[in-house]
């Protein structure tokens, strides 16, 4: 199984980081709970609207 091209592009363009997580933000730092939750809520709302 291959990841979608958009996911591969995002992974390849992600900044170098040493965060011990798979969810590093665009600054290469670990997401805070509030930052991750807020961004996830926005994405979820958009995906639901696109259905």
């Amino acid at each position: 199984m291959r990841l979608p091209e958009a996911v591969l592009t995002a992974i390849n363009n992600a900044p170098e980081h040493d965060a011990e997580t798979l969810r590093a933000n665009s600054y290469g730092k670990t997401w805070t709970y509030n930052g991750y939750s807020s961004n996830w809520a926005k994405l979820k709302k958009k995906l639901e609207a696109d259905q």
Side-chain angles (χ1 to χ4, degrees):
M1 180 177 167
R2 183 173 162 87
L3 291 172
E5 197 61 38
V7 174
L8 292 172
T9 299
I11 290 170
N12 290 332
N13 291 327
E16 294 280 332
H17 66 83
D18 61 358
E20 294 180 11
T21 181
L22 294 176
R23 298 179 309 249
N25 65 22
S26 60
Y27 300 106
K29 303 295 182 192
T30 304
W31 281 99
T32 62
Y33 173 81
N34 287 337
Y36 184 78
S37 179
S38 175
N39 279 278
W40 170 245
K42 290 176 193 175
L43 176 60
K44 183 179 173 193
K45 186 175 182 178
K46 181 185 181 319
L47 290 171
E48 289 173 341
D50 289 347
Q51 286 186 349

